[in-house]
Amino acid sequence: MKLAISGKGGVGKTTFSSLLIRTLNEMGKHVLAIDADPDANLAAAVGIADADKVIPISEMKTLIYERTEAQPGSIGGYFKLNPKVDDLPDALSARFENIKLMRLGGVKKGGSGCICPESTLLKMLVTHIVLARNEVVVMDMEAGIEHLGRGTARAVNRLLVVVEPGRRSIETAGHIRHLADDIGLKNIALIGNKIRNDQDEAFLKENLPGFDFLGFLPYEDALIEADLTGKSPFDIDSKSKERVKEIIGRL
Ligand SMILES: Nc1ncnc2c1ncn2[C@@H]1O[C@H](COP(=O)(O)OP(=O)(O)OP(=O)(O)O)[C@@H](O)[C@H]1O
Ligand SMILES: [Mg+2]
């Protein structure tokens, strides 16, 4: 099963992803967790010790040079378009029980449509992970689906878009659906997060007609507290854990 998580900034993508990853782990699944958001820290949310020491692939300059035969940051020169990547998930991931986690990191864009060695390596890596790995894959992404393309769309079982009660989060969900349509990714479902009451849930359902809701997570101070103290949302007492189990049952 391959799952991609997207949504507006701050809606709870990383919180939800980490709960999903830890719950699947607890169920005995092997999970490959991909932190595809340059600003995110999925490792800390999953509960990996020394999370800040997990180096993003895009910053592994020697690796990028070895695999693409070009210096990272170089644009327009010659480099391998099909670098070897199949060994990277096992060689480079951080571990927690049955979870392997990789941080992709960001690629600085030098103008539109830039193709550089590091972006080529990341794209190949994501394609390999989505098409060829056997584990459950959970990818925590940005407000877009940049790492996915036509070739990988059909292998993604679900694109889960996290939404919160708010106009901009709803607009972003619409935008993400367009991006998904463009690459032929049809299996989208929504997760309503930060739900304070029935009105919040009704607001989302009313304003997102034609979307499939897979579940709702309550607004919980405990989740903010976990974030502030650097704990995994899974390692605290929270009602959202039960909701996430139900969501997995519906996948
Ligand atoms: N259900 C919830 N109730 C209360 N607070 C929440 C809930 N879910 C997430 N939060 C809080 O909202 C903030 C943003 O959450 P999170 O980092 O998971 O969002 P994100 O979508 O990954 O953000 P970013 O776009 O910055 O990566 C955090 O402080 C988190 O603790
Ligand atoms: Mg995040």
Side-chain angles (χ1 to χ4, degrees), residues 2-250:
K2 310 290 191 296
L3 305 170
I5 321 295
S6 186
K8 186 182 81 70
V11 282
K13 298 179 291 292
T14 300
T15 302
F16 173 68
S17 299
S18 65
L19 286 169
L20 195 60
I21 291 161
R22 287 287 301 273
T23 307
L24 289 161
N25 168 68
E26 195 186 52
M27 291 163 68
K29 306 274 187 209
H30 289 259
V31 186
L32 183 54
I34 307 297
D35 190 347
D37 183 344
D39 297 323
N41 199 346
L42 183 63
V46 164
I48 287 173
D50 290 329
D52 50 337
K53 296 203 177 77
V54 179
I55 299 167
I57 308 288
S58 68
E59 287 172 23
M60 297 182 176
K61 296 206 170 0
T62 311
L63 174 88
I64 294 165
Y65 182 70
E66 272 171 17
R67 299 302 170 97
T68 65
E69 296 175 7
Q71 293 293 353
S74 60
I75 295 168
Y78 291 101
F79 56 88
K80 272 191 166 173
L81 290 172
N82 59 342
K84 178 178 165 64
V85 292
D86 59 346
D87 57 327
L88 300 183
D90 293 314
L92 298 178
S93 51
R95 312 284 171 116
F96 180 95
E97 297 179 1
N98 283 331
I99 301 165
K100 289 181 184 150
L101 181 139
M102 301 186 88
R103 241 182 111 186
L104 300 186
V107 173
K108 283 186 198 70
K109 298 223 176 55
S112 61
C114 140
I115 301 171
C116 50
E118 48 272 56
S119 66
T120 302
L121 187 78
L122 290 187
K123 192 102 191 174
M124 280 292 290
L125 179 61
V126 170
T127 302
H128 167 75
I129 286 167
V130 173
L131 297 181
R133 295 292 296 197
N134 292 323
E135 302 105 320
V136 178
V137 173
V138 177
M139 215 181 297
D140 178 8
M141 304 204 299
E142 319 160 80
I145 47 171
E146 213 193 318
H147 292 288
L148 301 176
R150 286 196 172 275
T152 46
R154 77 195 138 77
V156 174
N157 301 82
R158 283 292 172 100
L159 171 62
L160 299 173
V161 181
V162 182
V163 290
E164 64 184 3
R167 297 277 164 204
R168 274 176 302 138
S169 140
I170 285 166
E171 281 165 21
T172 305
H175 178 61
I176 291 168
R177 177 153 67 178
H178 283 303
L179 294 173
D181 273 346
D182 285 347
I183 60 165
L185 205 167
K186 298 265 175 258
N187 311 324
I188 302 183
L190 301 184
I191 308 293
N193 188 27
K194 306 193 190 181
I195 304 297
R196 293 165 303 170
N197 48 41
D198 292 347
Q199 284 97 303
D200 277 352
E201 196 173 315
F203 173 88
L204 287 175
K205 284 178 178 162
E206 257 167 47
N207 286 283
L208 289 158
F211 276 99
D212 194 17
F213 280 91
L214 215 54
F216 294 89
L217 310 185
Y219 182 93
E220 295 187 279
D221 286 332
L223 290 176
I224 297 175
E225 203 53 42
D227 191 45
L228 292 175
T229 54
K231 280 196 188 129
S232 169
F234 190 85
D235 292 325
I236 59 160
D237 193 20
S238 138
K239 294 192 182 73
S240 294
K241 281 164 72 170
E242 211 43 53
R243 295 288 105 79
V244 170
K245 264 190 204 153
E246 293 161 10
I247 287 168
I248 291 172
R250 287 184 207 117

